[in-house]
Amino acid sequence: MGLRHAGAPAIMTVSNAPPSSRRGLHVITWGCQMNVYDSARMSDVLRPLGYQPVDLPDSADMIILNTCHIRDKAAEKVFSELGRLRKIKEARKENGEQTIIAVAGCVAQAEGQEILTRAPYVDIVLGPQTYHRLPEMVARAARAGGAVIDTEFPAEQKFDFLPDTAAPQTPGNYTAFLTIQEGCDKFCSFCVVPYTRGAESSRSVTSVLAEAKRMADSGVREICLLGQNVNAYHGEGPDGQVWTLARLAATLADIAGILRIRYMTSHPRDMDDSLITAHRDLPALMPFLHLPVQAGSDRILQAMNRGHTADDYRDIVRRLREVRPDLALSSDFIVGHPGETDEDFEATMQLVRDVRFALAYSFKYSQRPGTPAAGAPFQVPEDVKDTRLQALQALLREQQDAFNDTLVGQTIPVLFTGEGRKPGQITGRSPWLQPVHVSGPRHLIGQELPVRITERLTNSLGGILVEETVYA
């Protein structure tokens, strides 16, 4: 858990295939930013087969449902969506058109054969480690006329087999995600990631830098490095040495055009000295860190198998703020883990009061089949979880508003990324990820400019451009 969850966009690619061989591809993405990245790369590997994006599944020759297993009843939601896609497939078949349905991602990895048993009209089931083999799976499904399943954890890294020239970023995209690490060796009691994403593995430095360079050349100005435990990054460098995340970030900051670097999601156990020092020495490394703690009770942290104490977390925060006083934190919290008492919950509330967060994500514990906590005794009643979650979220909201209030009257750099909802308005991101809205011309989009913050809105900030010359 940790990577923030996205909606369900259709991922767009550009096809180089002749018009006669073009096929429609519609990708539905559920889950975190890593799934968004994976969807884009699946589109990349299918592009040589003639697949190009279509906005609606009704006109797609292939539909990929890229799934997430983090949320409650994830598998049932997948089967519900597949029922809708089945109707589309049958309607197209009546018109003499073929539709390939593929289920990818973490639910595919966890459910495997069960998907084909309950939804035999699905053509391909593939885990998150095998999407580089999609073209082969498509060919096998077409030749054999039956379902293909590939949920193994291959010996090779999928990143070594992806196209060197991915589809360019969509024009006007000034921020982008870049996956550099996958998998997890931590085995937290509540989490399915080690079972669906496999062991920790890191991309080579050369591969990461090449993709970051392509992003910068296409206009991206802010890159967010992704991984289940991104600060456990240990990729092989061109010098034959193992590089840390800190060293990688320093090299990425030297790429022309890259103004900002972020990373998520981190684990406290991997927050080493070099990375803390990087927050002092790298201006491009944004002063905003997502560092999940999950709970503030040592007893519950031990039950969660987190491998750190509440005071360990406080010490990391103290060291980070010593080297970067303007650093703000976001985090993840789970309330109602099996065995959590009122005293344990109060310890979490005290940690929140001590650390103070600019943003946080909080959830009720929900059982994940196959995880240690799912069968643990002393499951917390739902009404108790609800009460605790409401209290925690109220405190976190108070802290978020208080942090945003501190920015009113300050002048901060804002990277403008698009037009606002109101005529004549443009919007961008602060260093701490808040949306910022100002009045200004469209040609400023893509630039980082100073803005004086004038108001705190519910989930964003309002301001004015500092220099009149930017209108020139």
Side-chain angles (χ1 to χ4, degrees):
M1 182 178 290
L3 289 171
R4 298 279 48 85
H5 282 244
I11 303 301
M12 301 301 169
T13 64
V14 177
S15 174
N16 297 321
S20 60
S21 65
R22 289 186 177 180
R23 306 176 177 94
L25 173 66
H26 184 77
V27 185
I28 301 169
T29 308
W30 291 350
C32 65
Q33 291 92 338
M34 189 172 287
N35 267 19
V36 174
Y37 177 90
D38 284 351
S39 290
R41 299 316 302 267
M42 281 190 276
S43 296
D44 290 339
V45 300
L46 290 171
R47 192 167 70 253
L49 299 186
Y51 285 98
Q52 64 175 343
V54 292
D55 293 332
L56 298 173
D58 308 66
S59 55
D61 299 284
M62 182 172 183
I63 303 170
I64 301 175
L65 178 55
N66 193 11
T67 62
C68 173
H69 211 294
I70 292 296
R71 293 294 171 259
D72 194 22
K73 299 180 180 177
E76 292 308 310
K77 292 174 183 176
V78 168
F79 287 115
S80 176
E81 179 69 10
L82 286 175
R84 184 178 73 90
L85 298 180
R86 177 184 187 175
K87 294 177 181 178
I88 293 173
K89 180 171 184 172
E90 290 174 346
R92 283 175 53 84
K93 186 176 181 180
E94 289 178 0
N95 294 328
E97 300 171 310
Q98 182 186 21
T99 305
I100 296 174
I101 296 179
V103 181
C106 292
V107 172
Q109 184 70 44
E111 300 296 329
Q113 183 62 45
E114 180 67 13
I115 292 174
L116 298 181
T117 299
R118 292 181 57 179
Y121 47 88
V122 169
D123 301 285
I124 298 171
V125 177
L126 66 151
Q129 301 304 326
T130 61
Y131 65 67
H132 59 290
R133 300 203 287 240
L134 248 180
E136 175 190 343
M137 295 180 217
V138 171
R140 283 165 55 196
R143 285 197 308 265
V148 176
I149 182 169
D150 192 344
T151 55
E152 298 297 321
F153 289 111
E156 75 273 9
Q157 280 206 43
K158 67 185 179 188
F159 298 112
D160 295 335
F161 293 86
L162 294 175
D164 290 332
T165 54
Q169 292 286 316
T170 302
N173 280 358
Y174 299 102
T175 64
F177 297 118
L178 174 52
T179 295
I180 65 169
Q181 182 272 344
E182 276 203 277
C184 181
D185 297 338
K186 304 297 191 291
F187 288 92
C188 295
S189 65
F190 52 83
C191 187
V192 298
V193 166
Y195 311 101
T196 58
R197 290 275 180 174
E200 290 179 356
S201 63
S202 300
R203 290 179 71 176
S204 71
V205 172
T206 299
S207 172
V208 172
L209 295 180
E211 186 165 355
K213 179 66 164 56
R214 291 195 297 269
M215 288 177 170
D217 290 344
S218 69
V220 169
R221 297 294 170 256
E222 176 180 303
I223 289 178
C224 182
L225 307 175
L226 296 180
Q228 265 83 33
N229 285 306
V230 70
N231 56 338
Y233 178 81
H234 52 277
E236 181 181 354
D239 56 359
Q241 301 294 313
V242 173
W243 285 33
T244 63
L245 178 60
R247 186 175 180 186
L248 177 67
T251 306
L252 287 168
D254 289 335
I255 295 176
I258 300 300
L259 304 178
R260 297 177 166 193
I261 298 170
R262 305 182 188 274
Y263 60 92
M264 65 185 302
T265 286
S266 305
H267 196 291
R269 286 162 57 182
D270 295 310
M271 187 57 63
D272 61 20
D273 292 342
S274 68
L275 191 53
I276 291 174
T277 301
H279 278 278
R280 179 194 67 194
D281 298 339
L282 284 180
L285 198 55
M286 291 293 95
F288 183 77
L289 175 61
H290 184 69
L291 188 63
V293 64
Q294 307 299 357
S297 160
D298 287 347
R299 196 177 70 85
I300 295 301
L301 288 170
Q302 184 177 16
M304 289 177 165
N305 195 36
R306 291 289 292 171
H308 63 83
T309 67
D311 281 346
D312 290 337
Y313 189 88
R314 289 183 176 94
D315 185 61
I316 292 169
V317 172
R318 176 189 58 78
R319 293 166 62 202
L320 282 164
R321 286 175 169 162
E322 282 179 353
V323 302
R324 188 73 190 258
D326 63 340
L327 185 137
L329 286 158
S330 72
S331 195
D332 289 344
F333 293 91
I334 295 174
V335 301
H337 187 276
E340 184 185 72
T341 65
D342 289 342
E343 290 75 19
D344 293 321
F345 176 68
E346 175 54 32
T348 295
M349 295 288 279
Q350 188 58 51
L351 177 72
V352 173
R353 296 185 196 103
D354 292 344
V355 173
R356 304 194 64 82
F357 294 92
L359 182 66
Y361 305 90
S362 51
F363 313 93
K364 294 188 298 182
Y365 169 78
S366 60
Q367 293 172 301
R368 294 289 175 268
T371 60
F378 308 112
Q379 297 285 329
V380 178
E382 287 299 315
D383 60 336
V384 175
K385 293 181 193 176
D386 289 336
T387 300
R388 291 176 183 172
L389 184 63
Q390 290 174 18
L392 176 61
Q393 289 182 338
L395 178 58
L396 292 170
R397 181 77 224 189
E398 178 185 312
Q399 292 189 353
Q400 179 179 336
D401 290 345
F403 176 76
N404 290 345
D405 281 337
T406 66
L407 297 178
V408 176
Q410 291 193 40
T411 296
I412 64 173
V414 174
L415 174 63
F416 289 103
T417 56
E419 295 184 72
R421 294 181 179 178
K422 299 178 181 178
Q425 188 182 72
I426 55 176
T427 187
R429 293 183 177 187
S430 79
W432 303 278
L433 264 186
Q434 301 105 323
V436 180
H437 310 290
V438 305
S439 294
R442 291 187 70 258
H443 71 259
L444 299 183
I445 296 171
Q447 298 183 46
E448 185 180 59
L449 298 167
V451 171
R452 183 163 62 85
I453 302 302
T454 57
E455 60 179 334
R456 186 261 295 173
L457 305 171
T458 303
N459 291 303
S460 61
L461 302 170
I464 57 174
L465 290 160
V466 170
E467 302 171 14
E468 293 296 329
T469 55
V470 298
Y471 287 98

